[in-house]
Amino acid sequence: MGRYYQGDINGKFWFGLQSSDAASRFGGEELEPSYISYHFNEDHLDEVNEEIKFIEEKLGDNKKIIDDFFNKKDSYSNKDLEDINISQAMLSDYADLGLGIQIRDCIVENGDCNFDAEL
């Protein structure tokens, strides 16, 4: 079981790591029932890009370590993270980075990006 987001972009939030409101860190407009509905357009693109850059700089060389790890594995344990010296906070930022890239690419391709995130 998991929580998903769907609309112009689709995906699954990382279990126990990524909150349903993860897209809020990239700006956009939040609308709320049992889902958070997000709307991004070209006016949000600078803010999205700034947050992506911020996360990439915050992760630094750890981004490559995490990329390499997930190129070999589909899942992880706390021991796995310990072995590669990656914290839950870093992994949370990494998960949000993937979401931010999806949002950015959707805006660039379509001019806007709309999706619902399960709570």
Side-chain angles (χ1 to χ4, degrees):
M1 184 170 169
R3 292 167 296 110
Y4 294 84
Y5 51 93
Q6 57 213 14
D8 291 336
I9 60 173
N10 300 293
K12 183 176 181 180
F13 291 108
W14 289 42
F15 179 78
L17 189 70
Q18 191 175 31
S19 69
S20 295
D21 67 351
S24 292
R25 77 186 287 178
F26 299 98
E29 299 170 35
E30 188 176 312
L31 311 168
E32 200 178 320
S34 61
Y35 289 84
I36 299 174
S37 294
Y38 285 98
H39 169 74
F40 294 87
N41 60 39
E42 291 173 338
D43 293 339
H44 300 106
L45 193 54
D46 287 342
E47 186 175 356
V48 171
N49 281 324
E50 286 172 19
E51 189 63 21
I52 288 170
K53 182 179 178 188
F54 172 78
I55 296 169
E56 288 175 334
E57 288 174 354
K58 185 176 176 185
L59 287 172
D61 294 337
N62 292 312
K63 182 185 177 304
K64 181 170 178 7
I65 292 168
I66 300 169
D67 283 339
D68 291 346
F69 177 82
F70 283 110
N71 283 333
K72 296 174 190 164
K73 290 187 161 204
D74 291 333
S75 63
Y76 67 94
S77 67
N78 288 337
K79 173 85 169 89
D80 291 330
L81 297 180
E82 212 174 275
D83 290 346
I84 61 172
N85 200 31
I86 296 297
S87 69
Q88 290 283 331
M90 284 183 242
L91 199 57
S92 179
D93 281 335
Y94 183 82
D96 288 354
L97 176 61
L99 176 61
I101 290 169
Q102 279 188 288
I103 293 168
R104 179 201 59 206
D105 292 351
C106 181
I107 295 169
V108 169
E109 280 184 35
N110 303 317
D112 66 357
C113 182
N114 300 286
F115 62 95
D116 297 325
E118 293 181 13
L119 291 175

